[in-house]
């Protein structure tokens, strides 16, 4: 919608050809498009204007520190002849244009004209006040919200003769019901009607009309402009029927019905209102209901953005700021900022999310502006929510930095001065160059101490911080699952879950697994990683770190006899014939399947030993005899078996294969050659290994890779599902609640504050040694912000792999007390904090999902999952998915 005194383009006020009656494209349709230009942005940034009772507006301003300046108009109306048209003559009070005094009396016939942002802030204040007063009925809307909002079409013009504004409200421009309401509201017979303009638009309109006066005939009324005004907060009755016009819509929501009878006086009319909650998913402003429950549509992998934005737009100080006149703080000349575009887009998004109706918002404009200045967020790739949050806060700070010209300040050395003096000096120097709402509420200060390990030179600096990134100290043990394969031809593969030290070595893993699987003294374990049905690598280095093993790896351990450690290691990989179907299908090809089997073979002189060892390894996977007999091919065999079904000890032909030794007869050789074919891997020419033929390898061979081709008959005779089933090392649960071991947030904070040497890539230049040294670094909290953002460092990166820590962090919800962790005690400020928002990440490194938990006050928690918003219990707040924590300062208990 338009401003009350703005339309398609502000330049129309100077353009005689401007058509004020042209129909505009709805704002919602413009914002739903993916392509934008500067005109779209200009239109999107415009706000609706609202007419509200002055008393209702004034009550909310007592807690606002901003200077409130308005223009007061005395209003004359033609109420005696208002059957089809109301004409209001607005004449400016000579003493208006000054700051409004909060202790002045208020007439019942005083109205206020405010922008949408100021209306939303006032609406929120009344909503919060009502919630605070009636906590047991928190779902009831505030008094000011009980009246619906209705639009009113007005025609505005300037009268040079009387130097006044003329407002015409016509029955032909409005619905009958709305016009009758306007008649009741603007009735000025009883006492003087006055309107305060806090939007600043009337003076601008008058000024522009005066500029255009030479183009009009003297004394002629100015051009009329058709505008839309939104009216809210009035209880009105028709004079004829005494019928209530502001009937609230009666609906039910997830909170259930709650009705409150309210006795109110408005315009000297007594009325009673029965309130019923409106649905959070309701549309429109009728029965406004609760605020701040709008979700954000996922535009494609934008859950990282949605979760962080929801946490910010529910930060009270930031909400009050963006619902106020924050545009005055925009720094358009800051080369480090976005020329105000990012802050305007964020402010517009925040206002939409706090608008009544709780309809999901598509943040396309915001994402468009963000990607315009940060190409890494362009497109629809996945990103880290904390990295996005860091960029957004920094970008908003530079856009809203009230320092237009940053002074150059040379940093001074501590030179033995007290820390308090040096800290205050650094902080004032920082504020001299950085002053914004982001600095005011999000930034704190810590002390950084560096000690040279050689000359013991001490360097102390005080630096600001926007958030704390806390490392997650490793828990004592790590849970891992491996599958043990036996080579004795008796036992099936068995998965074992063990615990090993997180900083342990492969030897610790093997020792723990040996105990779990009851490894015999004459056996040993060979650990391997399986990838795409092949052995990717052997983990045979006892000193290798288990940290190199990722949670999504698949590991097996082969039980091998120690006596054969000097024998060649033969690896059997399985292949089956894949036959594509359908028109245009390609020729059949051999495809890998299952887990490779391993054996140590002492005598590799002929292929018979290889055949025999493979069948021995397969013996545990043989299907039960009954299944083998019933499935065996050939009617003659099936009939024979049926006739002897009572005879015990029926032996399958396959069983004879497995029991046959390397010196078995030619009959078994024929079966084996038909059912399995063995090939040497990477051997030129004919590499098939045949029975009784010598194996073409060197006597010095230590490892032999053999590929086994399975016939369709053998696929049916063996349980290949058992052969293919292999669990991951660790499978995190989507909603993992609590692990066996947990760690407190205070422990993470202690890890952040403890001494540690700098990395080799981040050494400090010692001014005394005149060279770079690996100094000892120590951080201390010195000054805490109003809003404390804590980032739990769950994601770890190295040269070889990436990993996410699923550690359960036990963080306080109501009573985070940092008094024992701050080096500088300020008795005027509390060191206690309360949690009000959490960003969660579910899943792993390859893919995941972000959501947000938000406290709407008085312990009422809600989950914001993109466009879905629903209540949750407080005991769900703590989980291993918690990623970024938002705390607000509270008074000490």
């Amino acid at each position: 919608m338009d401003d009350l005194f703005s339309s398609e383009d502000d330049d129309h006020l100077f353009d005689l050809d401007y058509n004020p009656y042209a129909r505009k494209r709805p704002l919602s349709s413009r914002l739903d498009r993916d392509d934008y230009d500067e005109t779209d942005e200009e239109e999107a940034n415009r706000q609706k204007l609202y007419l509200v009772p002055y008393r209702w507006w004034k009550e909310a301003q007592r807690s606002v520190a901003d200077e409130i300046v308005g223009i007061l108009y005395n209003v004359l109306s033609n109420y005696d002849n208002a059957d089809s048209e109301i004409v209001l003559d607005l004449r400016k009070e000579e003493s208006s244009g000054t700051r409004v005094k909060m202790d002045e009396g208020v007439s019942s016939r005083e109205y206020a004209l405010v922008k949408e942002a100021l209306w939303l802030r006032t609406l929120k204040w009344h909503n919060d006040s009502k919630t605070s007063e009636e906590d047991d009925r928190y779902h009831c809307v505030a008094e000011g919200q009980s009246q619906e909002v209705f639009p009113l079409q007005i025609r505005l013009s300037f009268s040079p003769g009387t130097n006044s504004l003329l407002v015409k409200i016509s029955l032909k421009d409005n619905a009958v019901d709305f016009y009758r309401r306007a008649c009741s509201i603007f009735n000025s017979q009883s006492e003087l009607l006055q309107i305060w303009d806090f939007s600043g638009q009337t003076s601008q309109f008058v000024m522009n009309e005066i500029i255009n006066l030479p183009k009009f005939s003297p004394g002629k009324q100015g051009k009329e402009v058709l505008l839309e005004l939104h009216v809210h907060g009035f209880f009105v009755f028709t004079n004829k029927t005494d019928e209530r016009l502001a009937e609230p819509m009666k609906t039910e929501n997830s909170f259930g019905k709650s009705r409150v009878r309210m006795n109110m006086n408005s315009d000297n009319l007594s009325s009673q209102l029965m309130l019923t909650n409106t649905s959070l998913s309701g549309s429109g402003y009728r029965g406004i209901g609760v605020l701040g429950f709008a979700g954000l549509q996922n535009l494609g992998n934008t859950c990282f953005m949605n979760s962080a934005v929801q946490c910010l737009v529910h930060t009270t100080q930031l909400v009050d700021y963006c619902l106020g006149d924050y545009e005055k703080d925009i720094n358009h000349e800051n080369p480090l900022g976005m020329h105000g575009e990012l802050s305007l887009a964020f402010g517009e998004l925040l206002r939409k999310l706090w608008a009544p109706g709780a309809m999901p918002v598509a943040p396309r404009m915001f994402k468009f502006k963000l990607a315009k200045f940060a190409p890494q967020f362009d497109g629809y790739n996945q990103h880290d929510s904390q990295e996005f949050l860091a960029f957004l806060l920094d970008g908003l700070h530079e856009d809203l930095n009230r320092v237009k010209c940053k002074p150059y300040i040379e940093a001074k050395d501590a030179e033995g001065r007290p820390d308090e003096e040096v800290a205050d000096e650094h902080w004032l120097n920082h504020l001299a160059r950085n002053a914004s709402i982001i600095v005011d509420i999000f930034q704190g200060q810590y002390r950084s101490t560096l000690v040279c390990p050689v000359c013991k030179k001490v360097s102390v600096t005080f630096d600001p911080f926007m958030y704390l990134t806390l490392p997650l100290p490793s828990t004592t043990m790590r849970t891992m699952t491996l599958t043990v394969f036996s080579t004795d031809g008796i036992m099936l593969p068995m998965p074992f879950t063990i615990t090993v030290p997180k900083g342990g070595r492969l030897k610790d893993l093997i020792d723990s697994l040996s105990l779990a699987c009851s490894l015999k003294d004459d056996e040993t374990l060979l650990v391997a990683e399986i990838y795409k049905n092949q052995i990717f690598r052997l983990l045979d280095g006892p000193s290798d770190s288990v940290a190199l093993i990722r949670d999504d790896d698949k590991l097996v351990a082969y039980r091998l006899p120690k006596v054969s450690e000097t024998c060649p290691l033969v690896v059997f990989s399985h292949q089956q014939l894949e036959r594509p179907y359908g028109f245009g299908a390609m020729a059949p090809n051999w495809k890998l399947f299952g887990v490779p089997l391993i054996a140590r073979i002492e005598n590799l002189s002929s292929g018979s030993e290889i055949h025999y060892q493979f069948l021995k390894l397969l013996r545990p996977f043989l299907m039960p005899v009954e299944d083998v007999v019933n499935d065996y091919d050939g009617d003659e065999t099936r009939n024979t078996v049926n006739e002897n079904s009572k005879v015990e000890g029926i032996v399958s032909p396959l069983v004879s294969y497995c029991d046959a030794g390397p010196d078995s007869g030619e009959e078994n050789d024929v079966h084996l050659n038909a059912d399995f074919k063995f090939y040497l891997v990477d051997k030129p020419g004919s590499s098939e290994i045949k029975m009784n033929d010598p194996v073409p390898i060197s006597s010095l061979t230590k490892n032999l890779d053999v590929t086994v081709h399975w016939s369709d008959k053998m696929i049916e005779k063996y349980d290949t599902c058992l052969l293919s089933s292999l669990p991951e090392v660790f499978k995190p649960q989507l909603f993992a609640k609590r692990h066996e071991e947990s760690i407190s947030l205070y422990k993470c904070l202690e890890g952040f504050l403890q001494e540690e040497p700098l990395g080799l890539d981040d050494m400090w230049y010692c001014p005394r040694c005149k060279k770079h040294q690996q100094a000892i670094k120590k951080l201390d909290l010195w000054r805490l912000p109003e809003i404390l953002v804590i980032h739990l460092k769950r994601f770890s990166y190295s040269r070889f792999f990436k990993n996410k820590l699923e550690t359960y962090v036990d963080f306080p919800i109501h009573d985070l007390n940092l008094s024992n962790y701050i080096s500088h005690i300020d008795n005027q400020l509390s060191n206690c904090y309360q949690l009000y928002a959490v960003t969660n990440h579910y899943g792993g490194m390859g893919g995941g999902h972000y959501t947000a938990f938000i406290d709407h006050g008085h312990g009422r928690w809600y989950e914001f999952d993109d466009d879905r918003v629903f209540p949750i219990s407080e005991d769900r707040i703590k989980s291993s998915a918690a990623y970024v924590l938002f705390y607000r300062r509270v008074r000490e208990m």
Side-chain angles (χ1 to χ4, degrees):
M1 288 298 181
D2 307 325
D3 281 358
L4 179 57
F5 304 112
S6 299
S7 204
E8 182 71 15
D9 196 315
D10 289 338
D11 294 339
H12 80 274
L13 296 174
F14 303 95
D15 188 356
L16 292 178
D17 295 329
Y18 171 72
N19 181 8
Y21 306 105
R23 181 176 296 274
K24 291 188 59 177
R25 180 180 55 201
L27 179 62
S28 59
S29 66
R30 299 195 302 268
L31 292 180
D32 288 340
R33 294 183 4 239
D34 288 327
D35 55 317
Y36 299 101
D37 55 29
E38 298 302 323
T39 304
D40 291 324
E41 176 193 354
E42 188 174 332
E43 292 175 356
N45 284 335
R46 294 207 176 94
Q47 300 182 48
K48 305 171 186 177
L49 262 72
Y50 290 77
L51 184 72
V52 299
Y54 178 61
R55 175 184 285 112
W56 178 84
W57 174 84
K58 184 177 177 181
E59 288 177 357
Q61 307 311 308
R62 300 182 184 276
S63 60
V64 178
D66 297 342
E67 184 178 0
I68 305 171
V69 178
I71 297 177
L72 179 62
Y73 291 94
N74 293 321
V75 182
L76 302 177
S77 70
N78 66 331
Y79 187 77
D80 294 336
N81 185 25
D83 291 338
S84 60
E85 185 178 65
I86 304 173
V87 179
L88 304 178
D89 188 340
L90 279 66
R91 303 194 178 188
K92 179 180 177 182
E93 274 278 345
E94 296 298 330
S95 60
S96 67
T98 58
R99 186 179 187 276
V100 177
K101 296 181 180 179
M102 291 292 104
D103 55 352
E104 289 182 347
V106 179
S107 168
S108 61
R109 303 289 292 166
E110 287 186 74
Y111 305 153
L113 188 65
V114 297
K115 290 183 178 180
E116 182 183 30
L118 191 56
W119 174 73
L120 283 174
R121 185 168 71 174
T122 308
L123 198 64
K124 180 178 180 297
W125 184 90
H126 281 280
N127 182 79
D128 294 344
S129 298
K130 192 66 178 178
T131 299
S132 178
E133 292 172 3
E134 300 185 17
D135 186 24
D136 58 331
R137 298 176 180 177
Y138 66 86
H139 43 274
C140 298
V141 297
E143 173 182 325
Q145 295 172 245
S146 57
Q147 307 85 14
E148 63 176 306
V149 177
F150 68 92
L152 202 59
Q153 306 296 323
I154 67 174
R155 296 178 183 270
L156 181 68
S157 63
F158 175 66
S159 176
T162 59
N163 196 31
S164 61
L165 288 173
L166 295 180
V167 177
K168 294 182 180 180
I169 306 172
S170 175
L171 179 60
K172 68 178 182 180
D173 294 330
N174 295 276
V176 175
D177 185 34
F178 294 163
Y179 181 75
R180 291 165 63 190
R181 299 185 191 197
C183 291
S184 178
I185 292 173
F186 295 110
N187 169 23
S188 61
Q189 286 183 323
S190 57
E191 61 179 295
L192 179 65
L193 175 62
Q194 293 181 312
I195 295 180
W196 283 90
D197 176 26
F198 297 103
S199 69
Q201 299 298 320
T202 57
S203 58
Q204 178 183 349
F205 179 81
V206 171
M207 183 180 301
N208 291 331
E209 289 296 302
I210 293 176
I211 293 175
N212 287 334
L213 275 180
K215 302 179 182 180
F216 296 97
S217 300
K220 183 178 179 180
Q221 182 176 325
K223 189 176 182 179
E224 287 185 351
V225 178
L226 180 63
L227 302 167
E228 186 173 76
L229 178 67
H230 299 268
V231 183
H232 170 245
F234 297 92
F235 288 95
V236 293
F237 296 80
T238 60
N239 293 332
K240 296 180 181 180
T241 64
D242 198 39
E243 176 187 359
R244 186 172 68 220
L245 296 176
E247 181 82 22
M249 180 173 63
K250 298 177 181 179
T251 61
E252 290 187 33
N253 64 1
S254 59
F255 299 114
K257 290 185 177 180
S258 177
R259 299 185 175 183
V260 182
R261 185 172 297 276
M262 305 170 65
N263 296 320
M264 307 181 67
N265 291 320
S266 178
D267 304 338
N268 296 325
L269 297 174
S270 176
S271 64
Q272 290 184 333
L273 175 66
M274 185 71 77
L275 282 182
T276 303
N277 288 324
T278 58
S279 171
L280 293 180
S281 61
S283 60
Y285 290 158
R286 186 177 176 88
I288 288 173
V290 286
L291 306 175
F293 286 92
L296 285 166
Q297 295 180 12
N298 193 317
L299 306 179
N301 284 330
T302 56
C303 59
F304 74 93
M305 178 179 75
N306 293 348
S307 60
V309 167
Q310 289 289 7
C311 292
L312 286 183
V313 300
H314 286 86
T315 300
T316 303
Q317 297 93 322
L318 200 57
V319 174
D320 293 340
Y321 177 78
C322 290
L323 292 182
D325 188 19
Y326 77 96
E327 291 91 344
K328 68 180 185 300
D329 290 339
I330 293 178
N331 191 331
H332 297 279
E333 288 76 32
N334 188 355
L336 300 179
M338 315 301 182
H339 308 292
E341 294 187 36
L342 180 61
S343 58
L344 287 173
F346 178 80
E348 181 68 17
L349 180 60
L350 182 144
R351 293 173 181 182
K352 290 180 181 299
L353 292 174
W354 277 96
M359 294 298 293
V361 177
R364 290 190 178 93
M365 173 66 80
F366 174 73
K367 185 179 183 299
F368 172 76
K369 291 298 181 185
L370 188 69
K372 184 177 179 182
F373 294 99
Q376 67 266 35
F377 296 113
D378 196 8
Y380 300 96
N381 295 324
Q382 296 181 357
H383 293 279
D384 187 288
S385 181
Q386 188 273 331
E387 291 180 1
F388 164 81
L389 177 67
F391 170 83
L392 179 57
L393 288 176
D394 187 62
L396 291 175
H397 159 66
E398 297 296 350
D399 257 11
L400 300 171
N401 194 350
R402 297 183 290 267
V403 179
K404 309 303 181 186
C405 183
K406 295 184 178 182
Y408 172 75
I409 302 175
E410 185 175 356
K412 299 179 182 178
D413 193 66
E415 298 177 351
R417 293 181 294 165
D419 283 345
E420 291 78 5
E421 178 183 340
V422 179
D424 290 343
E425 180 182 274
H426 279 74
W427 186 248
L428 292 176
N429 291 345
H430 175 67
L431 295 183
R433 296 172 53 86
N434 303 275
S436 69
I437 182 65
I438 304 301
V439 174
D440 295 342
I441 63 177
F442 285 102
Q443 287 198 355
Q445 186 183 35
Y446 61 78
R447 177 178 61 190
S448 176
T449 304
L450 292 173
V451 180
C452 177
V454 178
C455 67
K456 305 305 179 183
K457 165 69 177 177
V458 177
S459 174
V460 178
T461 58
F462 292 86
D463 301 306
F465 66 86
M466 191 89 73
Y467 49 86
L468 297 179
T469 296
L470 303 187
L472 301 185
S474 298
T475 51
T476 307
M477 307 298 287
R478 175 186 179 184
T479 302
M480 304 178 71
T481 299
L482 294 86
T483 304
V484 176
F485 279 73
S486 175
T487 59
D488 59 4
I490 299 175
M491 291 187 296
L492 283 169
M494 180 79 63
F496 290 91
T497 299
I498 59 174
T499 55
V500 296
K502 278 206 169 183
R505 303 295 176 183
L506 184 61
K507 183 180 182 300
D508 301 319
L509 184 150
I510 293 177
D511 291 344
S512 180
L513 185 60
S514 300
L515 184 63
C517 70
S518 302
L519 192 72
K520 299 177 182 178
D521 294 337
D522 59 349
E523 291 179 318
T524 185
L525 291 176
L526 179 62
V527 181
E529 178 185 346
I530 306 300
Y531 180 69
K532 291 185 177 181
N533 306 110
Q534 290 181 302
I535 293 180
F536 180 71
R537 60 171 174 150
L538 293 176
L539 283 69
D540 51 2
S543 61
D544 290 346
S545 174
V546 296
L548 297 175
I549 302 174
R550 297 174 297 185
D551 286 344
D552 56 354
D553 288 344
K554 295 183 177 181
L555 300 185
V556 298
Y558 298 99
R559 298 179 68 149
L560 298 171
K562 287 184 178 180
V563 294
S564 62
E565 289 183 351
T566 58
C567 300
L569 184 70
V570 180
V571 178
F572 296 97
S573 299
H574 318 284
Q575 289 188 354
Q576 61 180 338
L577 193 61
E578 185 180 55
R579 297 181 177 87
Y581 294 96
F583 179 77
M586 301 179 64
N589 64 299
W590 292 95
K591 182 180 179 181
L592 287 167
F593 75 95
V595 179
L597 300 178
I598 284 182
R600 289 195 181 273
I601 302 177
E602 185 175 357
N603 182 14
L604 283 177
S605 59
S606 69
S608 301
E609 186 68 29
I610 292 178
H611 288 215
Y612 169 73
Q613 287 294 339
F614 178 73
L615 291 177
K616 179 182 176 182
L617 294 174
L618 279 185
R619 187 179 299 156
F621 301 95
L622 189 65
M623 298 288 284
V625 173
E626 293 80 2
D627 297 337
V628 173
V629 171
N630 291 333
D631 293 339
Y632 194 75
D633 295 337
D635 294 337
E636 181 179 353
T637 304
R638 185 178 297 110
N639 293 333
T640 303
V641 172
N642 290 336
E643 292 174 0
N644 298 279
S645 57
K646 297 182 180 180
V647 180
E648 297 181 1
I650 295 179
V651 180
S652 164
L654 287 176
V655 177
S656 64
Y657 301 166
C658 301
D659 292 337
D663 299 327
S664 298
E666 294 181 359
E667 182 180 354
N668 283 334
D669 295 347
V670 173
H671 283 295
L672 286 173
N673 289 331
D675 296 332
F676 293 106
K677 290 186 178 296
F678 299 81
Y679 296 89
L680 290 177
V681 178
D682 298 331
K683 288 292 182 180
S686 177
S687 59
E688 184 177 355
I689 305 174
K690 297 183 178 180
M691 295 288 291
N692 301 322
D693 287 354
V695 181
I697 59 172
S698 169
S699 59
L700 300 178
T701 300
K702 296 297 182 183
N703 297 300
L704 186 64
D705 292 327
V706 176
T707 299
V708 183
H709 287 184
W710 288 55
S711 67
D712 292 341
K713 184 193 301 184
M714 296 299 101
I715 294 293
E716 296 295 330
K717 303 309 176 183
Y718 288 92
D719 191 346
T720 55
C721 293
L722 287 177
L723 192 62
S724 303
S725 178
L726 200 61
E728 297 178 354
V729 169
F730 179 76
K731 184 70 173 179
Q733 298 297 320
L734 184 60
F735 294 98
K737 178 63 183 177
R738 183 185 293 267
H739 288 297
E740 206 173 288
E741 293 184 330
S742 66
I743 190 168
S744 71
L745 184 67
Y746 294 113
K747 198 72 175 179
C748 298
L749 186 59
E750 291 171 3
F752 174 75
L753 299 176
Q754 71 180 3
E755 291 185 354
E756 61 177 358
L758 296 176
L760 296 176
D761 297 331
D762 190 30
M763 294 199 297
W764 170 64
Y765 181 81
C766 177
R768 184 178 297 170
C769 298
K770 306 298 183 183
K771 60 182 299 186
H772 287 88
Q773 301 286 5
Q774 193 175 6
I776 304 299
K777 183 179 181 179
K778 174 74 167 67
L779 294 178
D780 296 289
L781 297 178
W782 190 267
R783 191 186 309 266
L784 296 176
E786 290 297 313
I787 300 297
L788 179 62
V789 180
I790 297 179
H791 165 221
L792 302 177
K793 195 174 181 180
R794 293 195 176 278
F795 299 103
S796 59
Y797 306 88
S798 72
R799 182 179 177 183
F800 302 102
F801 66 93
K802 299 181 292 184
N803 191 32
K804 179 190 175 185
L805 300 176
E806 296 287 348
T807 306
Y808 176 88
V809 179
D810 185 9
F811 50 87
I813 295 179
H814 301 287
D815 51 357
L816 175 64
N817 192 333
L818 300 181
S819 298
N820 296 331
Y821 298 91
I822 186 168
S823 299
H824 175 63
I825 302 299
D826 187 344
N827 294 325
Q828 297 180 350
L829 295 176
S830 169
N831 297 318
C832 294
Y833 288 84
Q834 180 174 337
L835 187 75
Y836 72 92
V838 181
T839 295
N840 303 295
H841 180 268
Y842 301 100
M845 295 296 300
H849 183 62
Y850 287 97
T851 68
F853 292 155
I854 306 294
D855 179 16
H856 262 266
H858 305 280
R860 305 190 310 273
W861 285 89
Y862 294 83
E863 182 168 7
F864 287 72
D865 185 356
D866 289 332
D867 57 351
R868 298 168 57 243
V869 181
F870 45 88
I872 59 172
S873 59
E874 189 174 288
D875 58 5
R876 274 198 56 197
I877 305 305
K878 297 182 183 182
S879 75
S880 59
Y883 186 42
V884 183
L885 311 176
F886 292 76
Y887 284 92
R888 66 165 63 96
R889 192 196 300 270
V890 295
R891 290 181 298 178
E892 295 188 19
M893 303 299 180

